[in-house]
Amino acid sequence: MLEAFILGAVQGVTEFLPVSSSTHLRFLHHFFGFDLSMNTVAFDITLHCATLLAVVIVFREEIRTVITGFMKALTPSSIKDIRRTWRKNEQLRFVIYVLTATALTFLVYFAMKMLGVPLKDTVSSDAEAERGMLMTFSAGLIVTGFILFASLLAKRYGQHRKPTVIIAIIVGIAQGLALFPGISRSGITITAALLSGISPAAAGSLSFLLSLPAVAGAALLDVKNIAAMELIPLAVGFISAFVFGYCALRLLIAMIRRGSFFVFGFYCIAAGVSMIVYLMR
């Protein structure tokens, strides 16, 4: 119960703050001696579903607007004059951008799998191999820190551009690269969006709404393992992740708009270096 609460709290806070939730969960599993079996991976995905619910609640108005606008684009008259609909219907374009970015994420995922690149969900029962993965997570966390510092370069752009297909492709590729251990999904996607020239508010919305199909897809793929787990620890972890995730998401949105998003880079680098020193001793 306590372990489920702690894991839920850590997932909720680190899922949205750009500090790589998977890295923190991995180290918690390591320090508490948890078994990184398929059920543990399923539990982690359940926590992701809780934070997904937080996204839906926080961005409920944006989601409602997008769905309403997209449904209007499916009327016979709109389909008949698809060019005009594309120009006028911003919600239709946004849905296409999200689908484009999601498709690019999956392409990057399959490419990384084919090339044998280590991914966040790589699990090994061998102690030495697991230690190597923890080193990889630590190194990735340091890289995340420098990615966050790169967001400062966005200040030299006008930041008045609206999302485009090209920006969706860039952000989708960035989200795919976040599958590498230690790379924060929110950190790299928001930075990519900011560097593409869109506003901080739009960058945050695009990043978090883009997480919905990715997390939902991961949950569907692992639904059998989720269903096999004990209900009470699952419920405790879910509620904990949701509450802490909701608060963290509100905090991050405020920090993105204030331009202080990059400060998490200091933590990522310090935490990554500390873990490498710990693992090498």
Side-chain angles (χ1 to χ4, degrees):
M1 291 283 290
L2 178 60
E3 293 174 350
F5 175 81
I6 293 173
L7 286 171
V10 172
Q11 167 66 26
V13 171
T14 60
E15 172 68 12
F16 299 117
L17 302 185
V19 294
S20 180
S21 61
S22 60
T23 300
H24 287 75
L25 289 173
R26 191 71 168 234
F27 279 114
L28 278 178
H29 287 313
H30 174 72
F31 289 132
F32 285 127
F34 297 154
D35 176 25
L36 279 179
S37 62
M38 184 59 72
N39 278 356
T40 304
V41 174
F43 180 72
D44 290 350
I45 291 176
T46 301
L47 301 186
H48 279 288
C49 290
T51 51
L52 181 148
L53 178 60
V55 173
V56 171
I57 292 177
V58 171
F59 289 96
R60 60 187 180 279
E61 289 301 321
E62 289 87 342
I63 293 173
R64 182 189 63 78
T65 301
V66 168
I67 293 176
T68 301
F70 181 70
M71 294 304 295
K72 289 181 180 179
L74 299 181
T75 61
S77 58
S78 297
I79 294 175
K80 185 176 180 180
D81 192 0
I82 191 64
R83 288 185 178 179
R84 182 176 183 277
T85 301
W86 176 260
R87 291 196 308 270
K88 300 292 185 180
N89 195 318
E90 185 176 346
Q91 289 74 36
L92 171 63
R93 296 198 302 273
F94 186 82
V95 171
I96 298 301
Y97 298 154
V98 169
L99 293 176
T100 300
T102 302
L104 264 295
T105 296
F106 279 106
L107 286 177
V108 173
Y109 167 74
F110 288 122
M112 293 173 74
K113 288 281 284 188
M114 290 179 61
L115 294 172
V117 176
L119 301 176
K120 290 180 175 179
D121 59 357
T122 302
V123 178
S124 176
S125 58
D126 180 74
E128 190 59 31
E130 179 60 21
R131 179 176 176 276
M133 279 301 298
L134 292 174
M135 291 286 285
T136 303
F137 271 95
S138 301
L141 193 59
I142 295 172
V143 173
T144 291
F146 286 106
I147 289 173
L148 297 177
F149 289 145
S151 68
L152 290 170
L153 298 175
K155 291 184 177 181
R156 67 180 61 180
Y157 294 91
Q159 294 186 331
H160 296 300
R161 298 178 60 188
K162 292 184 177 180
T164 64
V165 172
I166 298 300
I167 292 176
I169 291 173
I170 293 172
V171 175
I173 292 174
Q175 180 168 256
L177 295 176
L179 293 168
F180 187 83
I183 303 299
S184 165
R185 193 206 68 84
S186 63
I188 193 171
T189 53
I190 292 173
T191 297
L194 289 173
L195 292 176
S196 297
I198 65 177
S199 69
S205 296
L206 179 60
S207 172
F208 294 124
L209 293 180
L210 182 58
S211 71
L212 296 180
V215 176
L220 287 174
L221 291 174
D222 214 46
V223 67
K224 289 183 179 179
N225 292 298
I226 294 174
M229 294 188 65
E230 295 183 19
L231 180 60
I232 294 180
L234 208 63
V236 170
F238 185 93
I239 294 172
S240 177
F242 169 76
V243 172
F244 283 92
Y246 179 86
C247 296
L249 181 54
R250 287 292 190 187
L251 172 64
L252 183 59
I253 291 173
M255 294 188 71
I256 293 172
R257 290 174 176 172
R258 288 201 306 265
S260 54
F261 174 70
F262 71 95
V263 299
F264 293 102
F266 294 106
Y267 169 80
C268 289
I269 294 175
V273 171
S274 298
M275 290 312 306
I276 289 177
V277 172
Y278 168 81
L279 292 168
M280 291 181 65
R281 66 188 178 89

